[in-house]
Amino acid sequence: MAHVSEPTPVSTPKFEPYRGPAAGWGALRSVAAYWLDSKQPIKNLRALLKTNQHGGFDCPGCAWGDDPKGGRIQFCENGAKAVNWEATKRRVDRDFFARYTVRELSQFSDHWLEYQGRLTEPMRYDAATDRYQPISWDDAFALVAEHLNGLESPDQAEFYTSGRASNEAAFLYQLFVRSYGTNNFPDCSNMCHEASGVGLGQSIGTGKGTVTFDDFAEADAIFIFGQNPGTNHPRMLAPLSEAVRRGAQVVCFNPLKERGLQRFQDPQAIHEMLRNGSEATNTVFFRPALGGDMAAVRGMVKCLIQWDDEARARGEAPVLDDAFLGEHTDGLAAYKAVVAATPWEHIERQSGLSRDDIEMAAGIYRKAEKVMLCWAMGITQHRHSVATVQELVNLQLLRGNIGQPGAGLCPVRGHSNVQGDRTMGIDEKAPAWLLDALEREFGIVAPRRPGHNTVEAIAAMADRRARVFIGLGGNFAQATPDTELTHQALANCDLTVQISTKLNRSHLITGKDALILPCLGRTDIDQQANGPQGVTVEDSFSMIHASYGQLAPLSGQMRSEPAIIAGIAKATLGNRPVDWDAAVADYNVIRDLIARTIPGFENFNERLAQRGGFYLGNPARERHWNTPAKKALFTPNPLPEDLVHERIRASGQTPDLILQTLRSHDQYNTTVYGLNDRYRGVTGQRKVVFMNADDIRRLGLTEGARVDITSLWEDGRERRVTGFKVLPYDVPAGQAAAYYPETNPLVPLESYGEGSATPTSKFLAVRLAPSEVQDDVRLLAAG
C-alpha cells in the first residue's frame, strides 16, 4: 500500500493579536519546523546555504533581488519554506495514485495535496477508473502532439506559463508555440503585475522598474503602495529598516497595518536578536480606502502644483523640475488641466484620506531630493490599475525622480522569474521586433494576431473555442478568478497537460484526457547529455542570475522544463526550427539562441560567470524614452467616478463591504505551507474573514460567527463561498479581507482591469449572511 504523508497535526484554531516584530525569532522557529519536516534536514541545510549564492540556486520564491554586498545567508523565512517544501523526501508516484481516485483526492485541502510530496513519473488520467496511470515519456509526448496536430487551428490551444519557469524554458516554450502558430500565452503576469507593464510601457517606454538594489541606500524617501513585504518579499525589510535608521523617510500606503511595515527584527543581526530588539520599517503610515491610491497620489500632485505656483509667484525656487520637464517629458499642460479639474471632495472621498493627510505626504515628497516609489498587487488588481500606475509615474516626472541614483519606479514582482518570462517572449501581444527577430533567426512565419491572456483563455475554454490546455508550472485551476467557471472551462478541454513539481488541484480538474508531467525544481541537479546544467532568472531589478540545482532528484523519471518542452516540440513539429535534442543537451546552446534574438543578452554565456549576475539594463533609467514621442509622457487620466462597477450600481445592489483577497504568512501564491498566519494572529485555520468591529455590529454579526460571502455582479450567476469565520481586526470601516485561493470563486471573470485584464481581486463588492456551515470539518481533518 502506498505511503501517505500526513501534515503536522493541525493546531487548535485560535485568533489572538501578534505583538512581536516581523522576522526575528518567530522566523527562525518557523524555518526550523519546515526544515525538520522536509524529512532530509541535513541535505536541505546544505542546500539552504547555497540559496541565492554564486554557483548555487536561485530561490524558487519571490523575485526580490540579491544584495550585491550580501553575506552567507541570502534567504528569508518564506524562501526557506519554499526550498524545504520543494526539496522534500516525500513522493507522489504510481502507488500513490493507485490508492486514490481523482474524486477522492478532490476532497482534500490544497495544503494536504501539496504536502504529499514530489511528482516522480509521468501519469495519464484514465476516465474509466477515475485514476491516474503511468505512461512513458515518449507516449506522453506523442499524445500531446496528436492532440495539437489534430486541432483545426493552433489558436484552439492555450499555453500557460508560471513565473517559476526559467529563461531557458520560457524561450524554448515561446519558440515552439510560435513555430506551431499561435500567440496564446496566458501567464501569471496577467493576474498580478500586468498593469505595471502596460502603464510603465505607455508612459516611459519600458514595462519594467527603473531602480536597482543599491538605490534603496541612496533614497531620501521611499513610498510603498499596496504591498506587504513582510510576507511577500521579506528580504525587502532589511533595506527599509536601514533607510529609517539613516534618516530617510519610509512612507507606507496600505489599508492594513501589516507587521512587516511596522517593525523588523533582523535574524542576521546577532546583537539585535540577543536583546530581542527590533527596528522600525516606516516613518509615516497612511491607510487609504481600497482602490483609493490613485486619488491619494492625485491629491499629492495637486499639492505640488499649487506649491509650485505659489513659489513662482513669490519669486522663490520652483517646486517642479523645469529642466527635466522641458527636456524629457511631454503632455504636462493637459495633465495639469485634469488635476486642476479634480475637486478635493472627490479626492478625499475616493482616497479615504483627509486633505491634511495628503498634504503631509506631499510635504515629505517635496522635501526629498531623491524619491523611490514601490508597489505591488494592492495597486495592480483593480479596475483602474493601469491609470493608478500611470499616476505614480506622473508624480515622479514632476520632480525628475526617474533616472538618477536613489530615485525611480519599483514594481516589486511576485514569482521568481515572472519578469524574465516576459523578457523571453511569453506575451500574448508580442512586440513586432520579437516576431521579426524570430522570423530572421529561425526562418519561421511568426503569427501576428494577438493571442489570449488568462481571462480570454478561460473564456475560450468555457466556450469550447479552445480544446487543449498546457500549463508550464503553476496551479492554474486555483490561481485564476471565478473558480467554478474556470474549473468547468478546463473540464471542457479535450486534453489538459500540467508540467509540475508537486501535486495540486489543477491535476484533479481534468479534460477528457489529461497528463501530469513531473519536472525538476530549482533545487534539483539537472543532468543532461553534456553534464549538469544551470538555468537563469531575472529579478525585479533586471538582474540576470544563474541557478544550479544542488540535490539529486528523487526519481530518474523527472525531467527538466526545457527537456519536457523540447520533447513536446519535437513530437509536434519534428526537429524544427532548431535541433531540440542539441538545445537540451547543453543549455549554453539555448542561451546562444537567446543572445541572437533578445536585446541585452549579447555574450550571454560569458557574462554569467560574473559573480552576482549581470544587469540587463533599462533605457528609462538612462532617461532614454522608447515612446512614440521619445519622451516620458504625462497621462491625464480622470479619477474614476465611482470605484464600484457601474454594472453593480445599475442593478441596484448595495454591498455590505468591499473585500480584498490576500495571502497568509504560511503561503506563497497558491502554495499553502500551513494553516497559520503568524503576523495576523491566526492559528490552525484559513476560512476566516477579517472585519472592522463596527461593521460586525452593524451587520448583526458576532465574533467567531460563520458567514457565507456572496460577491455582487450583474450576470445572473451566484458566486458564493461558505462557512467563513468572522474575526474582528484592525481593518478600516467598510473593508474586509480574506485569503485566496479560498475566495477566488468570488472574483467575476468579467471584472478586470481596463487595459490590463487583471482580475480585480483587491476590490470585490460583497454581501455577508449567516452560514449553515458551523465548522470547517474537511479543512481541519485534511490539513
Side-chain angles (χ1 to χ4, degrees):
M1 182 173 289
H3 175 71
V4 176
S5 300
E6 294 296 342
T8 302
V10 177
S11 303
T12 301
K14 64 180 180 179
F15 173 62
E16 56 186 6
Y18 178 75
R19 307 296 184 189
W25 289 109
L28 291 180
R29 286 190 292 269
S30 176
V31 168
Y34 283 95
W35 169 57
L36 293 171
D37 193 47
S38 70
K39 310 305 180 187
Q40 51 179 27
I42 302 304
K43 288 183 179 179
N44 282 12
L45 179 60
R46 290 197 292 266
L48 279 170
L49 294 176
K50 298 292 286 184
T51 306
N52 297 325
Q53 298 288 342
H54 185 71
F57 63 91
D58 196 80
C59 178
C62 77
W64 185 253
D66 298 336
D67 183 350
K69 301 180 288 294
R72 185 64 176 147
I73 305 297
Q74 283 269 37
F75 60 86
C76 66
E77 174 189 355
N78 281 2
K81 289 177 185 175
V83 170
N84 285 301
W85 195 250
E86 177 178 290
T88 177
K89 197 174 181 180
R90 298 182 292 271
R91 62 181 65 208
V92 175
D93 53 19
R94 65 179 65 192
D95 293 334
F96 175 90
F97 284 112
R99 178 170 180 172
Y100 293 103
T101 65
V102 166
R103 180 179 178 82
E104 289 168 342
L105 287 172
S106 298
Q107 303 307 306
F108 289 103
S109 71
D110 294 318
H111 172 53
W112 186 93
L113 291 172
E114 289 213 25
Y115 188 84
Q116 300 313 301
R118 294 291 297 275
L119 296 158
T120 57
E121 59 183 316
M123 306 295 292
R124 180 182 183 181
Y125 178 63
D126 177 29
T129 61
D130 192 35
R131 298 178 192 274
Y132 275 99
Q133 307 280 355
I135 184 174
S136 71
W137 278 105
D138 286 344
D139 288 347
F141 293 150
L143 180 65
V144 178
E146 178 186 345
H147 277 275
L148 290 177
N149 289 328
L151 296 175
E152 297 170 2
S153 164
D155 290 332
Q156 291 179 311
E158 306 291 349
F159 298 88
Y160 177 73
T161 311
S162 160
R164 184 201 68 207
S166 67
N167 290 328
E168 291 74 13
F171 183 83
L172 284 189
Y173 198 45
Q174 65 85 30
L175 178 60
F176 156 55
V177 172
R178 291 195 167 100
S179 300
Y180 172 66
T182 185
N183 282 311
N184 283 353
F185 283 110
D187 77 317
C188 62
S189 184
N190 297 152
M191 293 181 283
C192 58
H193 265 289
E194 191 69 36
S196 298
V198 173
L200 293 174
Q202 292 176 356
S203 294
I204 63 173
T206 181
K208 301 179 183 181
T210 66
V211 305
T212 66
F213 188 95
D214 289 338
D215 287 318
F216 280 84
E218 297 191 49
D220 299 316
I222 302 169
F223 283 69
I224 302 171
F225 293 88
Q227 186 185 359
N228 178 18
T231 288
N232 301 331
H233 311 93
R235 287 193 294 156
M236 185 178 180
L237 299 182
L240 293 182
S241 65
E242 289 166 6
V244 173
R245 192 182 314 125
R246 64 179 171 80
Q249 294 286 332
V250 177
V251 183
C252 299
F253 285 78
N254 197 314
L256 300 180
K257 296 196 73 172
E258 302 286 17
R259 182 60 52 179
L261 293 174
Q262 296 182 70
R263 300 201 68 80
F264 168 62
Q265 186 178 69
D266 189 347
Q268 298 192 53
I270 297 175
H271 295 295
E272 187 171 285
M273 292 290 286
L274 290 176
R275 62 181 174 85
N276 202 26
S278 62
E279 300 276 353
T281 49
N282 79 79
T283 53
V284 185
F285 207 113
F286 299 105
R287 306 182 70 182
L290 287 171
D293 299 273
M294 180 182 178
V297 176
R298 175 63 53 86
M300 292 173 62
V301 168
K302 199 171 180 73
C303 291
L304 293 172
I305 292 175
Q306 177 186 334
W307 295 338
D308 183 71
D309 291 341
E310 293 170 349
R312 292 175 193 272
R314 294 191 298 266
E316 298 172 357
V319 174
L320 308 186
D321 187 336
D322 288 343
F324 177 85
L325 291 169
E327 181 179 356
H328 292 287
T329 73
D330 195 16
L332 177 59
Y335 176 62
K336 278 187 170 183
V338 169
V339 173
T342 309
W344 271 108
E345 184 277 331
H346 192 175
I347 290 171
E348 290 183 287
R349 171 171 47 83
Q350 195 164 104
S351 70
L353 300 174
S354 69
R355 182 169 177 173
D356 287 344
D357 285 340
I358 295 171
E359 288 178 344
M360 178 187 294
I364 295 171
Y365 187 93
R366 175 184 180 177
K367 291 177 182 178
E369 292 295 321
K370 296 173 288 186
V371 180
M372 290 175 56
L373 303 186
C374 305
W375 69 92
M377 259 55 76
I379 293 296
T380 62
Q381 292 182 329
H382 292 274
R383 187 183 182 193
H384 60 302
S385 52
V386 171
T388 303
V389 170
Q390 292 176 329
E391 193 71 3
L392 294 171
V393 176
N394 293 338
L395 174 63
Q396 290 290 74
L397 293 178
L398 289 176
R399 286 175 55 80
N401 273 311
I402 302 176
Q404 61 169 317
L409 299 157
C410 182
V412 184
R413 308 281 179 171
H415 219 150
S416 57
N417 199 41
V418 62
Q419 182 163 303
D421 289 346
R422 184 58 59 91
T423 301
M424 290 296 106
I426 302 298
D427 189 347
E428 77 278 3
K429 297 177 182 176
W433 66 260
L434 173 62
L435 301 179
D436 292 343
L438 292 174
E439 292 184 343
R440 180 184 68 248
E441 295 296 334
F442 301 103
I444 68 172
V445 178
R448 298 283 167 162
R449 58 197 173 277
H452 293 155
N453 58 36
T454 295
V455 167
E456 292 166 337
I458 295 169
M461 292 186 290
D463 296 341
R464 292 183 166 84
R465 289 179 286 114
R467 294 163 46 196
V468 172
F469 174 88
I470 299 177
L472 179 59
N475 185 0
F476 187 85
Q478 295 301 86
T480 43
D482 223 336
T483 305
E484 182 180 346
L485 177 61
T486 296
H487 286 192
Q488 184 57 57
L490 288 167
N492 287 347
C493 291
D494 295 333
L495 174 69
T496 52
V497 181
Q498 305 290 347
I499 301 170
S500 309
T501 57
K502 302 188 80 173
L503 183 66
N504 64 48
R505 190 142 326 260
S506 292
H507 306 126
L508 312 180
I509 312 299
T510 69
K512 298 176 183 65
D513 215 337
L515 290 170
I516 298 174
L517 304 182
C519 67
L520 299 177
R522 204 69 65 73
T523 60
D524 299 314
I525 296 172
D526 184 355
Q527 185 72 37
Q528 300 297 340
N530 287 10
Q533 302 297 312
V535 295
T536 60
V537 299
E538 178 183 348
D539 65 29
S540 284
F541 305 127
S542 299
M543 291 293 297
I544 306 298
H545 305 271
S547 179
Y548 300 90
Q550 302 294 307
L551 300 174
L554 287 184
S555 164
Q557 286 272 39
M558 299 157 68
R559 294 196 180 183
S560 72
E561 289 178 326
I564 294 171
I565 294 163
I568 293 174
K570 184 178 179 181
T572 305
L573 304 176
N575 226 14
R576 68 172 183 88
V578 296
D579 184 333
W580 300 104
D581 293 332
V584 171
D586 186 344
Y587 294 176
N588 285 334
V589 173
I590 305 175
R591 287 187 282 272
D592 284 340
L593 298 177
I594 294 171
R596 286 164 42 192
T597 311
I598 309 294
F601 286 87
E602 297 79 10
N603 301 314
F604 192 176
N605 283 303
E606 292 80 359
R607 293 160 75 190
L608 275 186
Q610 180 178 328
R611 181 173 289 275
F614 64 89
Y615 180 51
L616 193 57
N618 184 309
R621 182 177 174 82
E622 306 302 321
R623 296 185 170 178
H624 297 150
W625 319 103
N626 292 329
T627 65
K630 300 303 178 185
K631 291 189 174 185
L633 305 179
F634 281 96
T635 311
N637 296 304
L639 289 187
E641 177 186 345
D642 195 310
L643 296 180
V644 176
H645 200 288
E646 61 269 15
R647 287 177 61 172
I648 299 174
R649 301 200 310 273
S651 71
Q653 302 175 90
T654 303
D656 290 334
L657 298 166
I658 301 299
L659 176 80
Q660 66 164 313
T661 72
L662 39 67
R663 299 177 187 169
S664 78
H665 193 62
D666 270 1
Q667 176 181 357
Y668 194 78
N669 293 340
T670 58
T671 298
V672 178
Y673 302 124
L675 304 185
N676 301 333
D677 189 359
R678 185 169 77 250
Y679 296 157
R680 299 189 184 105
V682 176
T683 301
Q685 54 191 328
R686 284 186 57 81
K687 291 186 71 172
V688 301
V689 55
F690 300 100
M691 294 175 59
N692 182 285
D694 289 340
D695 287 327
I696 295 174
R697 288 188 290 270
R698 173 175 62 85
L699 296 174
L701 303 172
T702 58
E703 178 180 353
R706 293 280 180 177
V707 296
D708 297 344
I709 308 173
T710 302
S711 64
L712 305 184
W713 196 249
E714 195 274 310
D715 64 355
R717 293 183 57 230
E718 182 183 63
R719 296 173 176 85
R720 183 166 62 103
V721 294
T722 61
F724 278 65
K725 183 187 292 185
V726 172
L727 299 182
Y729 198 73
D730 186 11
V731 181
Q735 301 183 25
Y739 303 131
Y740 73 82
E742 289 85 350
T743 49
N744 282 354
L746 299 175
V747 186
L749 186 67
E750 294 177 306
S751 182
Y752 51 75
E754 295 175 342
S756 69
T758 299
T760 59
S761 302
K762 290 292 189 286
F763 193 95
L764 301 175
V766 299
R767 283 181 172 170
L768 278 61
S771 179
E772 295 181 1
V773 178
Q774 291 306 309
D775 205 356
D776 191 0
V777 176
R778 181 177 72 94
L779 183 61
L780 297 180

